[in-house]
């Protein structure tokens, strides 16, 4: 619960069943649970499995998310935005016993820049290449920066970021050197750019 209250002012500490603090300029009050009859219901177990998997992915993608999501994470953490987008996009599911991520539905950047419509990628040896072939609107300035992250999704329980690179300009090909050879991995790429005029990223495209 968020408060903008003259009565509360800038509060911090506990009052009865509430704990208050100032977070990112917002006065926040959290209610403490009074009585939880069963803290381990099937629904709670499902949510814990989903969040555990999202924590794993967010840590693995930390360097990418800091570039792609920090501008849009207004009055929330990058992790909160990442998980919100994952749930919104249906990227995380649970079958009652285990949670799973659909890598193609993961979003690593978000912003107001014109989105990428189509792109081509290639992966040979330890070089992953990506080229933007079309945008969903007018192109940004020539000095905008394109980014590509490459994740090894061969082991769903242990995904690994194997490459992250950038180049100035959206024309031509971005080449990313990976830490693993193409023959030994199943790769998922994430492509986005930051508009140099607005400093805003586009929504990432899974490639």
């Amino acid at each position: 619960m968020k408060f903008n209250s003259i009565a509360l002012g800038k509060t911090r500490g506990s009052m009865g069943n509430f704990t208050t603090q100032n977070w990112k300029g917002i006065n926040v009050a959290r209610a403490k649970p009074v009585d939880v009859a069963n803290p381990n219901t099937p629904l709670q177990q499902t949510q814990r499995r989903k969040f555990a998997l999202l924590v794993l992915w967010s840590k693995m993608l930390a360097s990418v998310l800091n570039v792609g999501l920090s501008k849009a994470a207004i009055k929330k953490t990058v992790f909160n935005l990442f998980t919100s987008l994952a749930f919104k996009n249906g990227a995380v599911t649970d079958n009652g016993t285990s949670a799973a991520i659909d890598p193609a539905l993961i979003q690593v950047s978000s912003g107001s820049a014109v989105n990428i419509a189509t792109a081509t990628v290639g992966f040979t040896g330890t070089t992953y290449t990506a080229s933007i072939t079309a945008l969903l609107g007018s192109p940004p300035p020539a000095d905008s920066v394109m980014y590509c992250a490459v994740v090894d999704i061969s082991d769903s329980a242990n995904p690994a970021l194997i490459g992250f690179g950038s180049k100035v300009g959206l024309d031509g090909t971005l080449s990313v050197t990976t830490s693993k050879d193409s023959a030994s991995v199943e790769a998922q790429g994430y492509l986005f750019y930051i508009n140099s005029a607005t400093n805003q990223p586009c929504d990432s495209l899974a490639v």
Side-chain angles (χ1 to χ4, degrees):
M1 185 179 299
K2 300 176 182 178
F3 291 91
N4 285 316
S5 169
I6 296 175
L8 280 176
K10 291 185 178 180
T11 58
R12 185 175 182 180
S14 296
M15 297 183 295
N17 194 45
F18 291 90
T19 297
T20 64
Q21 67 181 91
N22 189 273
W23 181 78
K24 291 193 175 184
I26 304 171
N27 292 323
V28 180
R30 295 189 177 96
K32 302 174 185 177
V34 177
D35 183 22
V36 180
N38 181 4
N40 199 30
T41 65
L43 182 58
Q44 288 173 317
Q45 293 174 25
T46 294
Q47 291 301 95
R48 289 187 189 113
R49 286 191 295 266
K50 288 181 177 180
F51 273 100
L53 196 52
L54 288 170
V55 167
L56 175 68
W57 272 74
S58 69
K59 288 181 178 179
M60 180 267 295
L61 288 169
S63 59
V64 182
L65 302 182
N66 283 337
V67 175
L69 292 182
S70 59
K71 301 286 191 308
I74 301 171
K75 295 185 177 179
K76 65 178 69 176
T77 65
V78 167
F79 172 72
N80 284 345
L81 178 56
F82 173 69
T83 56
S84 176
L85 291 170
F87 281 117
K88 177 183 176 181
N89 297 336
V92 57
T93 58
D94 191 282
N95 62 10
T97 58
S98 62
I101 289 281
D102 183 344
L105 298 178
I106 285 293
Q107 189 172 334
V108 301
S109 71
S110 179
S112 60
V114 171
N115 287 334
I116 300 168
T118 57
T120 59
V121 297
F123 194 13
T124 304
T126 57
T127 302
Y128 189 95
T129 58
S131 301
I132 296 173
T133 54
L135 296 174
L136 292 173
S138 300
D143 58 348
S144 296
V145 181
M146 176 166 54
Y147 295 86
C148 185
V150 187
V151 176
D152 176 12
I153 57 172
S154 304
D155 181 357
S156 60
N158 189 33
L161 179 65
I162 59 173
F164 184 36
S166 64
K167 70 178 283 291
V168 176
L170 305 192
D171 58 328
T173 300
L174 167 58
S175 296
V176 179
T177 300
T178 59
S179 59
K180 295 182 180 180
D181 190 274
S182 59
S184 64
V185 305
E186 180 182 355
Q188 174 67 67
Y190 299 98
L191 187 63
F192 65 97
Y193 73 90
I194 294 181
N195 185 310
S196 61
T198 63
N199 202 30
Q200 281 287 322
C202 66
D203 294 347
S204 59
L205 179 69
V207 290

